[in-house]
Amino acid sequence: MSPSLSGRVELGAKGGATTVRSLRKHASLYLMILPALLFFVVFTYYPLVLGVDISLQDFHIIGTRAFVGLQNYVTVLTDPTFWAVLQNTVILGAGILVLGFIAPIVVALSLNEVIHTVAKKTAQMVIYIPHLFSWVVVGGIWIYLLSPDDGLVNIALQALGAHPINFLADGTWARLVMILTAVWKDVGFNCILYLAAIVGISPSLYEAARIDGANRWHQVRYVTLPQLVPTMKVVLMLMVMGVLRTFDQIYIMRNAAIEPKVDVLMTYVFDKGITEFQMGVASAASILVLIMTLALTMVVRKVIRYDED
């Protein structure tokens, strides 16, 4: 055996021994993480593989399941309804993404200026509570508040001399309602993230800014906001990953009058799979949503340079 080959074999043997020692040393940690790995395998990756398999079949619960290849994907991509709901998803998603990203920052900066501790904590609690409710509760509340007959919003409009508006029967108003209610529900959660990040900013930075003559606005602009950039990136990534998967809100708040304007990709998947029982087509649509979400996430991650911090 040549000396070089002998050295490589010896090095490999040492590496293997080191790996075995490491496994033995951290065996308890691997056992602790095993349930989490099993959870993801059973409830995430197995259903994903099964979904891909179903998307390639003419799926029936009972009977034969003929392999149709990419026919289900062709059916989805040539369906005008799919492109209509994709347009709705982009419009609603863009509105939620922009307003939902800006609103928590403004609220967090405003709450940070509140000096009275009790008032500050009370405001945080009031803003955060809607995030704890399911969309069944939140949707019901807003459907009642926006009712054209006895809804609080239309009562206020009539008191001001305006005509009542049927918000959930007009497509344009309905889209605006969907965007604003989605932002309203989650603004408290993201606001808490920003407040936690603000608390972690070193007071010495503000002290140095005051010594340089910076007023309160300058401190916010040149100290607070730059220090919040890492948190902004995290919040933006979380929002982007969920922007194409909106379902609960639309399903609860939609009706026949506004469905063409508010139905999104996931309601399309639901309707195809549950209502029309075209499981192969629904699975193909869901895989396309997954691919688009992955692509969008990768693009945004690259644009905002997420990994540089």
Side-chain angles (χ1 to χ4, degrees), residues 5-190:
L5 181 59
S6 175
R8 286 198 296 270
V9 171
E10 205 174 306
L11 185 61
K14 289 182 179 179
T18 303
T19 302
V20 172
R21 285 197 299 270
S22 177
L23 289 173
R24 289 176 179 175
K25 180 179 180 181
H26 302 294
S28 58
L29 298 178
Y30 292 126
L31 288 175
M32 291 172 64
I33 202 174
L34 185 59
L37 291 176
L38 290 175
F39 175 86
F40 282 108
V41 169
V42 173
F43 294 103
T44 301
Y45 297 110
Y46 173 70
L48 176 60
V49 173
L50 188 61
V52 173
D53 184 40
I54 293 174
S55 72
L56 301 174
Q57 302 174 5
D58 181 14
F59 184 84
H60 301 282
I61 292 181
I62 301 175
T64 59
R65 303 172 182 177
F67 178 79
V68 295
L70 299 177
Q71 182 56 48
N72 289 324
Y73 292 90
V74 173
T75 300
V76 172
L77 294 174
T78 55
D79 185 359
T81 304
F82 174 79
W83 295 104
V85 298
L86 177 59
Q87 181 182 5
N88 292 341
T89 304
V90 171
I91 293 172
L92 294 175
I96 294 172
L97 198 60
V98 173
L99 292 179
F101 179 73
I102 296 174
I105 299 174
V106 175
V107 173
L109 293 175
S110 301
L111 286 178
N112 190 54
E113 299 299 317
V114 177
I115 300 177
H116 197 280
T117 305
V118 175
K120 184 175 182 178
K121 292 185 178 298
T122 302
Q124 290 179 22
M125 180 185 67
V126 171
I127 295 171
Y128 182 75
I129 282 178
H131 178 73
L132 301 177
F133 295 150
S134 71
W135 270 111
V136 175
V137 176
V138 174
I141 290 173
W142 279 104
I143 289 172
Y144 175 74
L145 290 176
L146 298 174
S147 171
D149 300 321
D150 54 357
L152 184 61
V153 174
N154 276 308
I155 290 175
L157 289 175
Q158 289 177 329
L160 296 173
H163 295 289
I165 301 173
N166 198 340
F167 292 97
L168 295 178
D170 181 275
T172 303
W173 280 110
R175 281 179 173 174
L176 183 60
V177 167
M178 297 298 178
I179 293 172
L180 293 179
T181 51
V183 173
W184 173 82
K185 184 178 185 297
D186 289 331
V187 68
F189 175 77
N190 293 330

Side-chain angles (χ1 to χ4, degrees), residues 145-259:
L145 290 176
L146 298 174
S147 171
D149 300 321
D150 54 357
L152 184 61
V153 174
N154 276 308
I155 290 175
L157 289 175
Q158 289 177 329
L160 296 173
H163 295 289
I165 301 173
N166 198 340
F167 292 97
L168 295 178
D170 181 275
T172 303
W173 280 110
R175 281 179 173 174
L176 183 60
V177 167
M178 297 298 178
I179 293 172
L180 293 179
T181 51
V183 173
W184 173 82
K185 184 178 185 297
D186 289 331
V187 68
F189 175 77
N190 293 330
C191 176
I192 295 297
L193 297 179
Y194 287 120
L195 286 173
I198 291 173
V199 171
I201 299 175
S202 174
S204 61
L205 296 176
Y206 293 105
E207 184 178 351
R210 285 192 294 269
I211 292 174
D212 288 339
N215 57 30
R216 194 58 187 167
W217 163 245
H218 289 150
Q219 293 177 43
V220 170
R221 181 179 178 183
Y222 296 109
V223 178
T224 306
L225 288 177
Q227 293 296 313
L228 289 180
V229 168
T231 306
M232 291 180 188
K233 291 182 178 181
V234 172
V235 171
L236 181 60
M237 287 300 299
L238 291 174
M239 295 181 68
V240 166
M241 287 189 288
V243 73
L244 298 180
R245 297 184 292 110
T246 302
F247 174 74
D248 298 17
Q249 175 194 13
I250 306 299
Y251 182 74
I252 295 298
M253 299 183 68
R254 69 175 180 169
N255 56 63
I258 60 174
E259 279 182 3

